[in-house]
RNA sequence: GGAGAGAUGGCAGAGUGGUCGAAUGCGCCGGAUUCGAAAUCCGGUUUACAGCUUGCUGUAACGGGGGUUCGAAUCCCCCUCUCUCCGCCA
């Protein structure tokens, strides 16, 4: 959610920035609603002040057992105007906030301007794709040849876009998540958290999935939602809280399954594990002081990169352009891993600074200090990033570590998690 | 699932129709006292929004929503959550 003050003060500048995201702001409607709001709020508050004053006098008169009938008559005359004003004001406030909830965040000044994916800016490229003597297989062939990746059975159990993983590959999948959590907790200073996978609508609104993107979510019959990312439960930990300044930054990491309906992605990535209704992800979340959030974004991104480096997977870092940014993000770096089977880089992590956008929706604040004295509560900045998407990391390991004999070498750093095994072969 | 109790400020906890944004205690901040500290004493200490002379004034908020009333923390209805007992259960 944007700051309503900013819209009042500089609506044109907001509209210009949003235009760079490809979003047209209905400035005329906002101006009109604001003008109405102001007029009605002032008059309504005047009515309320008068009513409160008269009511107080009635109470005093009653206390002295005096006649209050003239006061009662006057307050009665306020009645209809007051009620009508209150109702109109509530209606307009509702319209305004509903509108505000659907406006995306403003891009940071460092975000490249562009329309879509093709305008994203490659920031750096790390590692060299390995040369394969024969055309590299994709993870589906590798996994099915090993008899450890089973899509047809998953379809039988549920529907498409699910997978069944067996044996050493399931173990490798678990090892990856463990390795990521251990790295972030031991080397990067994150506290591990275990969180609910079902959340309420308030939490979904807090991080920005609702009200605009309900069709991307799985909703249960009791009104709860399956989380599309650990970002939702983890970030909402601080919803409605005022955090002592000395507790910042707070750095949390969680390993959760993620559920996405993938509505509207029919035909895209239908093969393999790239786009699934259910996948595991290790997610890092940071709560920081506003002045620290852009340093924190670089740091967070480097934490996600550390996993790819340790796994020795070639990747590149891409700064999303204004037109490709997610709804709540002010700036995002995508990490794209090299997939030999697709002969391309594919997204494996997304690291974003949301500035105060989510914090304002959640009313997540921290207590500032002025010369050692407690000051006013101010909105924190929130960040998060995948560190990493576990399913896609498994894909990347399979494809990058495949051998000509059909086996897959286990990356060094994962071997302690795999009982020391160095490769996965057909059992 | 059944029966009952409850939800008030950072915390504890009063308040059952009016001068209550809310007693009191704890905590926190400032000051006095002290060589310094503890103890003691004095003062301060919620948030959001609006208006304008930016410091004041006003409005709203006692789990959430609705209602009764000139006036609701207080009365009525609905919802959510918490606790206790019983049942069931990984």
């Amino acid at each position: 959610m944007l700051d309503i003050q900013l819209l009042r003060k500089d609506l044109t500048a907001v509209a210009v920035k949003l235009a760079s995201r490809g979003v047209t702001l209905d400035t005329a409607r906002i101006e009109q609603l604001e003008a109405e709001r102001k007029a009605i709020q002032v008059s309504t508050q005047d009515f309320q002040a008068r009513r409160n004053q008269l009511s107080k006098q009635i109470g005093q008169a009653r206390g002295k057992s005096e006649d209050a009938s003239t006061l009662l008559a006057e307050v009665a005359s306020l009645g209809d105007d007051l009620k009508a004003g209150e109702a109109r004001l509530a209606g307009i406030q509702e319209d305004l906030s509903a509108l505000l909830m659907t406006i995306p965040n403003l891009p940071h000044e460092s975000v490249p301007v562009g329309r879509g994916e093709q305008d994203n800016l490659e920031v750096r490229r790390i590692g060299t794709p390995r040369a394969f003597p024969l055309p590299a297989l994709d993870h589906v062939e590798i996994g099915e040849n090993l008899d450890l990746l089973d899509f047809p059975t998953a379809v039988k159990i549920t529907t498409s876009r699910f997978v069944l993983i067996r044996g050493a590959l399931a173990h490798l999948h678990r090892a990856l998540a463990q390795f990521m959590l251990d790295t972030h907790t031991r080397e990067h200073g994150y506290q591990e958290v275990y969180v609910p996978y079902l959340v309420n609508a308030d939490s979904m609104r807090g991080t920005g999935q609702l009200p605009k993107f309900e069709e991307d979510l799985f909703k249960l019959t009791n009104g709860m939602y399956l989380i599309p990312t650990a970002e939702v439960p983890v970030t909402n930990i601080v919803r409605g809280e005022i955090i002592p300044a000395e507790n910042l930054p707070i750095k949390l990491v969680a390993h959760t399954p993620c559920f996405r309906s993938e509505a509207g992605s029919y035909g895209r990535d239908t093969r393999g594990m790239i786009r699934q209704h259910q996948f595991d992800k290790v997610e890092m979340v940071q709560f920081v002081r506003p002045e620290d959030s852009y340093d924190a974004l670089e740091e967070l991104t480097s934490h996600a990169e550390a996993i790819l480096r340790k796994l020795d997977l070639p990747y590149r870092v891409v700064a999303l352009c204004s037109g490709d940014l997610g709804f709540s993000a002010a700036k995002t770096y995508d990490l794209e891993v090299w997939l030999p089977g697709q002969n391309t880089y594919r997204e494996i992590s997304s690291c974003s600074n949301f500035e105060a956008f989510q914090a304002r929706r959640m009313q997540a604040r921290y207590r500032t200090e002025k010369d050692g004295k407690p000051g006013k509560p101010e909105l924190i900045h929130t960040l998060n990033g995948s560190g990493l998407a576990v399913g896609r990391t498994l894909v990347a390991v399979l494809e990058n570590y495949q051998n000509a004999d059909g086996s897959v070498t286990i990356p060094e750093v994962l071997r302690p998690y795999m009982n020391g095994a160095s490769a996965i072969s057909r059992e």
Side-chain angles (χ1 to χ4, degrees):
Chain A
M1 193 161 73
L2 297 179
D3 186 358
I4 183 76
Q5 309 286 359
L6 185 66
L7 273 90
R8 286 179 191 148
K9 211 165 42 184
D10 209 346
L11 188 58
T12 320
V14 172
V16 168
K17 282 187 185 162
L18 288 174
S20 81
R21 299 185 52 132
V23 171
T24 311
L25 191 63
D26 190 347
T27 54
R29 177 166 152 76
I30 291 173
E31 276 170 344
Q32 187 220 330
L33 279 171
E34 257 303 306
E36 278 184 57
R37 188 227 94 225
K38 190 163 171 174
I40 295 168
Q41 185 163 353
V42 169
S43 74
T44 302
Q45 289 188 356
D46 284 347
F47 278 125
Q48 288 171 328
R50 184 68 189 143
R51 181 208 52 203
N52 291 347
Q53 197 184 5
L54 290 168
S55 292
K56 201 171 261 186
Q57 287 173 11
I58 291 168
Q60 284 165 346
R62 287 271 163 88
K64 291 182 252 172
S65 51
E66 293 168 0
D67 177 39
S69 55
T70 47
L71 293 168
L72 280 167
E74 188 182 344
V75 88
S77 73
L78 291 176
D80 289 347
D81 287 342
L82 180 64
K83 279 228 166 76
E86 281 176 341
R88 270 189 78 193
L89 183 61
I92 285 171
Q93 301 274 40
E94 213 168 288
D95 288 352
L96 267 171
S97 73
L99 185 67
L100 207 56
M101 287 293 273
T102 64
I103 300 173
N105 204 354
L106 304 180
H108 185 250
E109 57 188 14
S110 67
V111 169
V113 173
R115 290 175 163 220
E117 214 174 316
Q118 69 283 356
D119 297 319
N120 292 344
L121 186 72
E122 184 176 303
V123 178
R124 56 185 167 270
R125 194 180 281 229
I126 311 289
T128 316
R130 200 178 127 198
F132 292 92
L134 297 167
L137 302 181
D138 81 350
H139 67 281
V140 179
E141 288 179 277
I142 300 165
E144 288 182 341
N145 289 343
L146 287 166
D147 240 350
L148 298 177
L149 214 48
D150 183 348
F151 292 96
T153 304
V155 172
K156 177 179 73 180
I157 298 168
T158 165
T159 69
S160 60
R161 289 203 194 283
F162 287 89
V163 68
L164 178 69
I165 313 174
R166 297 178 198 269
L169 216 49
H171 187 174
L172 186 65
H173 183 258
R174 167 161 57 93
L176 279 167
Q178 299 269 59
F179 161 68
M180 292 175 193
L181 281 172
D182 284 347
T183 302
H184 295 313
T185 55
R186 291 175 190 165
E187 297 175 25
H188 301 149
Y190 290 79
Q191 182 186 44
E192 182 174 349
V193 288
Y194 172 82
V195 294
Y197 304 154
L198 298 179
V199 300
N200 57 33
D202 282 341
S203 291
M204 286 295 187
R205 271 190 289 271
T207 33
Q209 282 74 22
L210 290 180
K212 264 190 119 170
F213 307 101
E214 181 151 29
E215 68 278 8
D216 297 335
L217 302 169
F218 286 112
K219 185 179 188 176
L220 305 188
T221 50
N222 67 359
M224 306 267 268
Y225 297 85
L226 284 165
I227 57 170
T229 158
E231 164 191 356
V232 178
V234 177
T235 307
N236 275 280
I237 288 172
V238 297
R239 173 152 53 87
E241 300 292 325
I242 299 176
I243 302 163
E246 65 267 23
N247 290 5
L248 298 177
I250 294 171
K251 296 158 72 173
L252 303 172
V253 62
H255 167 219
T256 71
C258 304
F259 302 92
R260 300 186 181 179
S261 75
E262 296 297 341
S265 66
Y266 308 111
R268 267 171 67 199
D269 301 313
T270 50
R271 179 180 168 81
M273 285 182 63
I274 292 292
R275 192 173 301 276
Q276 301 269 287
H277 287 309
Q278 173 188 318
F279 61 96
D280 277 26
K281 186 157 59 69
V282 170
E283 185 79 3
M284 300 172 284
V285 173
Q286 291 198 23
F287 307 122
V288 305
R289 296 170 183 239
E291 62 268 29
D292 298 333
S293 69
Y294 279 93
D295 288 342
L297 177 61
E298 298 300 323
E299 185 202 79
L300 181 86
T301 306
S302 79
H303 294 157
E305 289 183 65
I307 302 297
L308 289 166
R309 289 173 190 262
K310 284 170 183 282
L311 290 170
D312 201 20
L313 292 168
Y315 69 94
R316 59 177 195 157
V317 181
V318 170
L320 295 195
C321 75
S322 53
D324 206 25
L325 280 178
F327 179 76
S328 304
K331 182 171 184 175
T332 298
Y333 290 117
D334 272 6
L335 267 48
E336 298 181 347
V337 70
W338 178 254
L339 293 185
Q342 295 194 13
N343 203 40
T344 187
Y345 288 95
R346 289 301 303 257
E347 180 187 337
I348 197 166
S349 171
S350 193
C351 301
S352 302
N353 183 1
F354 303 94
E355 297 186 1
F357 189 85
Q358 294 180 327
R360 189 171 293 108
R361 290 173 161 240
M362 295 191 298
Q363 279 303 298
R365 293 165 297 173
Y366 74 108
R367 183 77 67 179
T368 54
E369 293 169 48
K370 250 190 268 168
D371 316 317
K373 294 182 195 171
K376 277 192 74 86
E378 278 179 31
L379 296 169
I380 59 167
H381 279 194
T382 63
L383 302 97
N384 68 53
S386 353
L388 309 161
V390 179
R392 288 190 181 182
T393 309
L394 186 74
V395 168
V397 168
L398 287 178
E399 296 194 6
N400 283 278
Y401 282 85
Q402 61 181 294
N403 301 312
D405 64 0
S407 68
V408 173
T409 303
I410 296 171
E412 291 279 355
V413 291
L414 296 179
R415 292 181 191 175
Y417 296 90
M418 294 293 291
N419 304 325
S422 60
I424 297 172
S425 310
R426 202 179 161 90
E427 289 168 11

